[in-house]
Amino acid sequence: MQQDSIGEDAVDAVTQPLTDLNLRSKEIPQVLMAAQTEPYDLAGLEECGALRGEVARLDNVLGPDADQPEERASLLNRGLRTGGNVLGGIIPLRGLVRQVSGARAEEKRWEAAVYAGVARRSFLKGYMAGKFCETAEEASIRSARDVLGMDRE
């Protein structure tokens, strides 16, 4: 989930009040929905490549894991996010409005989906370590070395 998109941050900033009124919501990605129902499912993930692919799908929607460097948002992106919070703050009794409109329930649904996705990604990474699977980075380095004809050190 690449959050350093100026266009996306601008849309989020302008539509923050609509989100607070539960008039704008985002659909939860299928990979997170699946993680909620079967967080420890390994069907079709016997091979290391398939496991890496599933972790990559989760990384795509969740963003970097704790063991990966996170890209810093630009000053403009941070400003747009702050602007969204300010626009959302103009709604009187915002917390009550969010509760009554269902926006708080929507936020809770997203939090549960993200939690399940993080739990699944952690489980898969642990399972991969137990199987001695290469990480995506290690596989890329090995592939580059093979292509370049470099010996491993």
Side-chain angles (χ1 to χ4, degrees):
M1 174 169 71
Q2 180 68 0
Q3 289 296 328
D4 202 24
S5 163
I6 293 172
E8 186 176 323
D9 285 344
V11 169
D12 287 346
V14 172
T15 60
Q16 182 61 48
L18 296 176
T19 301
D20 288 342
L21 294 170
N22 203 27
L23 298 174
R24 175 184 179 256
S25 63
K26 296 178 185 176
E27 193 168 320
I28 295 173
Q30 182 58 38
V31 69
L32 296 183
M33 300 285 282
Q36 285 184 289
T37 56
E38 298 285 340
Y40 308 112
D41 182 30
L42 292 170
L45 301 175
E46 293 80 24
E47 302 295 323
C48 292
L51 288 162
R52 275 192 301 277
E54 184 70 5
V55 169
R57 287 183 39 193
L58 288 162
D59 284 346
N60 191 41
V61 296
L62 296 172
D65 200 352
D67 64 346
Q68 297 170 324
E70 187 173 351
E71 291 183 25
R72 293 186 49 93
S74 71
L75 183 60
L76 179 58
N77 289 91
R78 289 183 294 201
L80 287 169
R81 290 184 198 137
T82 301
N85 290 335
V86 169
L87 284 173
I90 64 173
I91 298 175
L93 304 170
R94 182 179 184 208
L96 181 61
V97 169
R98 287 177 51 72
Q99 186 70 35
V100 171
S101 71
R104 181 68 184 129
E106 177 72 7
E107 183 179 20
K108 286 284 201 189
R109 258 182 8 103
W110 265 93
E111 287 173 359
V114 168
Y115 178 80
V118 169
R120 177 157 177 76
R121 178 171 63 186
S122 299
F123 165 73
L124 292 172
K125 283 184 159 188
Y127 184 77
M128 288 172 61
K131 287 186 64 149
F132 300 102
C133 292
E134 292 177 314
T135 65
E137 294 80 12
E138 291 168 336
S140 293
I141 291 169
R142 181 185 45 76
S143 178
R145 286 180 177 272
D146 291 347
V147 168
L148 297 172
M150 298 172 68
D151 294 329
R152 292 186 185 181
E153 295 178 17

